[in-house]
Amino acid sequence: MIASPPPLSLYVHVPWCVRKCPYCDFNSHAARGEPPFAAYVDALLADLDQDLPMVGGRTVQTVFFGGGTPSLMPPDLIDRFLQGASARLRFAPGCEVTLEANPGTAEHGRFDAYLAAGINRLSFGIQSFDDGCLQRLGRIHGSREAEAAVRLAREAGFDNFNLDLMYALPGQDLAMALHDVERAIALGPTHISHYQLTLEPNTLFAARPPAGIPDDDLGWDMQERCQARLADAGYGQYEVSAYALAGRQCAHNLNYWRYGDYLGIGAGAHGKVTFGHDGSVLRRWKPRHPAQYLATAGTPDGIGGDEQIEPGQRAFEFMLNALRLVEGFSLSSFEQRTGLERARIAPQLALACERGWLERTDEHVRPTPLGRRFTNDVISLFLTDLSDGSPKVPA
Ligand SMILES: C[S@@+](CC[C@H](N)C(=O)[O-])C[C@H]1O[C@@H](n2cnc3c(N)ncnc32)[C@H](O)[C@@H]1O
Ligand code: SF4
């Protein structure tokens, strides 16, 4: 039983890009010609209608258009979607509404129209300001275009925007990684995401890794030095890869990391909803392929799957998210969000504290600097349910 369900967010997936990047494993597809965006908005609203009964009259706290490349979608269609959504759902006052934008798709006038449609935060996929790195990553934009896109957005009136950077790139050294951070800071974003390039299975980079990828030690040096420079400039790290000026953390992502609820609409989107009456948690996902999604949205086949999240799995999922946060979590929020008692995770917490990965008071748990370096090892402790007295302890 859960006294009140957690805050609710809305995620909207837009599955097309100009070109597929060789490192990317997101559900994104190279567009052949103009994607059928008008039909896609109809499908999104039908999809939303089908999910609505799960959330009754709950208020949406944040909206996030992710991709793929949502900035390929014409602003009038973003407007039509947002109007349709706000006729169906209550949006909280000051609701954060983010749109992911590829600098290669920025056109003059487009940002004004996004702002007028109700987008109040942008997230630019910059990746690097080094043209050689951008080329090796297969990006469609260069560094000048990236800077121009950010300036256009600012001139249009966007004062809240994120820049995505990646580091440990093929051919990159420490000075280059620091230089990227410097150029990002110079553009005055409120938020910077700083991701280590990972070779995801089923990508071109995994099949044929490019030469010159920095080793783990250099990757770690880059992370530490960039983190220190970002802190100097006022961007506090609050999650493994997320840095923000005071009060400018991404409310949408924070809701995921605090194991909040979200509706996920669009091709391949996932949602998670907690039901207050019995505390059960449901995960729902949608068909991944855009053509299949378009053909089925709003019908029973438009639901890719529904899965009840069992209690042991909920504890693990909570940790998977909360341990990414520098602030950690309170044990009462663990109880509220999972419907489980804190005793359930006591053995793993004790083990993680013993290993110097977590520190705790009676009520609060947070990762130590060592634990932050080995986030995956800490999280994997919670894969095994030790509360049944099982002697198995992960190595
Ligand atoms: C879904 S993408 C959306 C942004 C937009 N499509 C673009 O790329 O311009 C979100 C971010 O994830 C990061 N990302 C994608 N693949 C990655 C990988 N293999 N390793 C690390 N970061 C990755 C990139 O920084 C990217 O901007
Ligand atoms: S533009 Fe973004 S979402 Fe699209 S393929 Fe590249 S990294 Fe992935």
Side-chain angles (χ1 to χ4, degrees), residues 211-264:
I213 293 193
D215 64 17
D216 281 354
D217 283 344
L218 179 53
W220 181 251
D221 280 354
M222 288 178 175
Q223 198 282 328
E224 280 200 313
R225 293 284 301 277
C226 292
Q227 178 190 335
R229 176 63 192 113
L230 285 163
D232 261 2
Y235 297 88
Q237 185 186 26
Y238 67 101
E239 188 265 351
V240 174
S241 312
Y243 301 78
L245 297 181
R248 296 299 204 151
Q249 289 86 352
C250 174
H252 185 85
N253 286 340
L254 266 181
N255 194 39
Y256 293 149
W257 294 322
R258 291 176 178 158
Y259 207 46
D261 278 359
Y262 48 96
L263 291 179

Side-chain angles (χ1 to χ4, degrees), residues 94-98 111-112 114-115 118-124 149-163 185 187-192 235 244-249:
C95 181
E96 177 190 276
V97 186
T98 305
F111 292 120
D112 309 68
Y114 283 135
L115 197 65
I119 303 294
N120 53 29
R121 185 174 183 274
L122 290 171
S123 176
F124 285 101
V150 172
R151 273 195 211 103
L152 278 180
R154 207 185 246 305
E155 279 162 25
F158 279 100
D159 64 353
N160 192 14
F161 58 90
N162 166 60
L163 304 182
I185 293 169
L187 290 171
T190 49
H191 192 288
I192 294 178
Y235 297 88
L245 297 181
R248 296 299 204 151
Q249 289 86 352

Side-chain angles (χ1 to χ4, degrees), residues 14-18 29-40 69 72-74 77 290 294:
V14 180
W16 293 283
C17 294
V18 173
H29 305 261
R32 286 187 226 111
E34 174 77 359
F37 284 127
Y40 197 67
T69 305
L72 281 177
M73 193 135 145
L77 291 176
L294 279 161

Side-chain angles (χ1 to χ4, degrees), residues 261-286:
D261 278 359
Y262 48 96
L263 291 179
I265 63 168
H270 281 236
K272 172 220 162 215
V273 176
T274 308
F275 295 92
H277 64 284
D278 63 356
S280 61
V281 180
L282 181 82
R283 181 170 304 289
R284 167 172 290 185
W285 60 94
K286 310 293 164 54

Side-chain angles (χ1 to χ4, degrees), residues 135-354:
Q135 240 171 32
R136 288 189 286 278
L137 289 173
R139 297 293 296 185
I140 60 167
H141 73 274
S143 59
R144 277 179 193 284
E145 253 172 312
E147 285 170 341
V150 172
R151 273 195 211 103
L152 278 180
R154 207 185 246 305
E155 279 162 25
F158 279 100
D159 64 353
N160 192 14
F161 58 90
N162 166 60
L163 304 182
D164 278 343
L165 288 181
M166 294 196 296
Y167 66 96
L169 304 178
Q172 192 182 45
D173 63 19
L174 180 58
M176 289 160 80
L178 278 163
H179 188 65
D180 275 348
V181 165
E182 214 54 62
R183 283 181 71 175
I185 293 169
L187 290 171
T190 49
H191 192 288
I192 294 178
S193 300
H194 194 234
Y195 300 110
Q196 176 159 7
L197 174 70
T198 45
L199 296 186
E200 302 288 351
N202 304 318
T203 59
L204 279 176
F205 269 17
R208 259 182 294 134
I213 293 193
D215 64 17
D216 281 354
D217 283 344
L218 179 53
W220 181 251
D221 280 354
M222 288 178 175
Q223 198 282 328
E224 280 200 313
R225 293 284 301 277
C226 292
Q227 178 190 335
R229 176 63 192 113
L230 285 163
D232 261 2
Y235 297 88
Q237 185 186 26
Y238 67 101
E239 188 265 351
V240 174
S241 312
Y243 301 78
L245 297 181
R248 296 299 204 151
Q249 289 86 352
C250 174
H252 185 85
N253 286 340
L254 266 181
N255 194 39
Y256 293 149
W257 294 322
R258 291 176 178 158
Y259 207 46
D261 278 359
Y262 48 96
L263 291 179
I265 63 168
H270 281 236
K272 172 220 162 215
V273 176
T274 308
F275 295 92
H277 64 284
D278 63 356
S280 61
V281 180
L282 181 82
R283 181 170 304 289
R284 167 172 290 185
W285 60 94
K286 310 293 164 54
R288 271 178 72 83
H289 202 275
Q292 195 194 351
Y293 177 80
L294 279 161
T296 58
T299 74
D301 288 341
I303 295 177
D306 274 338
E307 185 194 6
Q308 287 291 336
I309 306 181
E310 298 309 325
Q313 199 183 341
R314 264 182 254 160
F316 173 68
E317 286 189 359
F318 180 93
M319 292 301 164
L320 187 67
N321 285 287
L323 289 177
R324 300 184 63 86
L325 289 169
V326 172
E327 68 182 14
F329 62 92
S330 72
L331 289 164
S332 23
S333 76
F334 171 80
E335 293 184 327
Q336 261 167 23
R337 297 286 158 99
T338 63
L340 305 171
E341 287 181 12
R342 57 188 72 191
R344 182 111 192 184
I345 49 168
Q348 293 97 324
L349 284 185
L351 194 60
C353 289
E354 210 177 285

